[in-house]
Structure formats: structure tokens, C-alpha cells
Amino acid sequence: MSEDALFPLELVRTETNDAGPRLVAPGAVHIPGWLTLEQQRWIVARFGEWTQGPVPLRAATLPGGHQMSVRTVCLGWHWQPYRYTREATDVNGRPVLDFPDWMVRLGRKAVDAAYASGVESDQTLSALATTYTPDAALVNYYDDGAAMGMHQDKDERSNAPVVSLSIGDTCLFRFGNTHTRTKPYTDVKLHSGDLFVFGGASRFAYHGIPKVFPETAADGCGLSRGRINITMRVTGLS
Ligand code: MD3
Ligand code: FE
């Protein structure tokens, strides 16, 4: 048999030869290895700039007094438990960085990749890519011991999809249901370069990161320790 038959062009994907798009739940599409290593390195370089200020990476303090182990820097709108503001009034009062145009374009490409891939048949979702305009990004940094408890993202006044990009160490992602923070849920490993889009019936599902696996980052992703996750959102605020 020829190599052309063994490796048809449309099935040869990324450096890591990952699987294609997978529908994890209605509206929730996982695309392993969506970002190239070069794109990952470029984004990691931007992350280095964002953390220089005006607002530093910070671990938010929850209303009960507990501090999160994940540290975050925001773009477009600053998130604090549990609202969006234009100034980081819980950190240093400084204005949040602008939401970059390249990230709007990347968000549209992500929504298109997820919902035009054929794994999600909802036409309302596949029509979204051209108009999708995220205006806030939470950029989370996880060091070895960091985790994020089960929660819903419901501080936005929009049901537009959330786009998630992972870079660095592999983590365990727990995708739950819209009713309770407990079972049933689906556990998925997220690797460096993975895309996940959460729209439709999945937009208000509980989810969390039970753990990251230290020193599992893909060689050449640009991050030597830990994990970065970018989530783009439409706040519906002005
Ligand atoms: C499902 N971040 O920032 S990304 C968050 O990896 C957050 O840092 C995690 O949860 C992280 O709020 C998980 C996956 C994710 C993000 C947003 C969602 C899943 C989602 C919104 C709705 C449903
Ligand atoms: Fe979340």
C-alpha cells in the first residue's frame, strides 16, 4: 500500500498529529493541537508583555476570604469576583489593557473551526463565526499546585460562546452539567495548543481544573513551567 493511502492529506494535522474536532457535549467542541508551536510561542511572548502591567498577574480573593491558586491578567475588561470593571479596583486601580484586534480575529477563527467542522450540527452556532466579537479575555496562569474549583461563568450578559486556548503543561479539565457542581461530568486532558469552544447548551455548564501535570509541556511551546489558559468572552457590557 502506498503512503498516500496510509496518510491521506486531510488526516495529517499538526506537529503532534492529534485527532480532529470532538463534540464533548452539545455546543462544546474540543480541537486538540489547534495552535502550532510557533503560534504558541508568539502568544507566550505576548503573555510576558501583559504581565508587565499596568495590572500584574494576581490571585483573586473570593468573597469568603479564600485566595485562588490560579493567577490571572485580563484584557478588555478586568474580572474580579464576581463582576467586570474597566479598572482593576481590587488590585491597583489601574486601567485594564485593550482587547487586541488579533485576538478578535483568532476568536472568530476558533469559533469557525469548532462549529464549521461538522461535529456540531446546530446551524445557529456555525453562523456565529463571522460576527463573534469577544471583548474580554481572562489569561490564567497555573503553577504546579494550582487548580480551579467547579464553577459557572455567568458574569457576562451574553450567551455567546467562550473560546479557550491552552499552552504549556497538560491539565485535567472537568466538564460538568448546567444543574449541579457535581456528577455527571466528563474529564478531558487539555494539552498545549488545544482549543475548546463552549457555546449553546454548554455555555453555562459547571467546569473546573482539578489539576495540572507538572513538566508535561510540549517542547517548543515557549513556556518552561506551568500552564496558560486564555478564555475569550463577550461580556455584553459597555
Ligand atoms: C465551559 N478557566 O477562566 S478553560 C475560567 O483552564 C476557566 O483556566 C479554565 O474556567 C482554565 O473561567 C477552564 C475551559 C472553559 C472556560 C470557560 C467556560 C470552559 C467553560 C465557560 C463555560 C463553559
Ligand atoms: Fe470558567
Side-chain angles (χ1 to χ4, degrees):
M1 195 192 299
S2 78
E3 64 222 65
D4 290 12
L6 272 174
F7 303 113
L9 204 51
E10 64 274 18
L11 292 180
V12 176
R13 307 194 69 92
T14 65
E15 298 102 322
T16 47
N17 199 25
D18 276 311
R22 191 166 85 96
L23 189 67
V24 172
V29 180
H30 179 201
I31 308 187
W34 189 66
L35 293 171
T36 67
L37 289 172
E38 185 184 15
Q39 290 171 322
Q40 294 172 50
R41 285 193 298 271
W42 189 85
I43 292 171
V44 171
R46 302 290 79 68
F47 173 73
E49 297 167 0
W50 300 331
T51 60
Q52 298 309 300
V55 185
L57 264 187
R58 72 86 168 79
T61 300
L62 301 173
H66 289 286
Q67 193 167 40
M68 292 177 71
S69 55
V70 177
R71 287 179 292 164
T72 305
V73 64
C74 299
L75 307 172
W77 287 90
H78 175 81
W79 180 81
Q80 57 188 88
Y82 287 97
R83 64 199 174 102
Y84 287 98
T85 54
R86 288 295 195 184
E87 287 95 31
T89 52
D90 61 332
V91 186
N92 61 1
R94 303 270 283 137
V96 67
L97 288 167
D98 286 340
F99 193 96
D101 290 338
W102 65 263
M103 200 178 281
V104 176
R105 294 193 296 271
L106 187 61
R108 285 180 187 164
K109 280 194 204 300
V111 169
D112 188 62
Y115 294 144
S117 66
V119 298
E120 170 54 82
S121 56
D122 185 334
Q123 297 303 303
T124 328
L125 293 177
S126 36
L128 282 175
T130 48
T131 56
Y132 183 66
T133 309
D135 65 340
L138 273 65
V139 186
N140 295 322
Y141 180 76
Y142 294 72
D143 62 22
D144 289 358
M148 190 181 284
M150 294 295 279
H151 67 277
Q152 290 171 297
D153 291 19
K154 54 182 184 187
D155 298 325
E156 301 79 20
R157 293 184 199 164
S158 162
N159 61 5
V162 173
V163 169
S164 155
L165 297 170
S166 295
I167 300 176
D169 285 339
T170 302
C171 74
L172 187 65
F173 170 60
R174 181 161 289 174
F175 184 69
N177 59 84
T178 50
H179 300 289
T180 73
R181 67 178 71 240
T182 59
K183 289 193 277 193
Y185 46 68
T186 305
D187 283 351
V188 181
K189 276 185 181 170
L190 296 182
H191 296 91
S192 200
D194 286 11
L195 165 67
F196 223 128
V197 179
F198 302 91
S202 290
R203 174 62 181 80
F204 296 105
Y206 282 92
H207 58 277
I209 303 288
K211 69 178 276 127
V212 297
F213 302 101
E215 292 176 60
T216 53
D219 277 335
C221 74
L223 199 62
S224 54
R225 294 202 74 91
R227 168 175 186 265
I228 293 172
N229 181 265
I230 299 179
T231 56
M232 302 175 209
R233 299 114 190 278
V234 177
T235 63
L237 302 172
S238 56

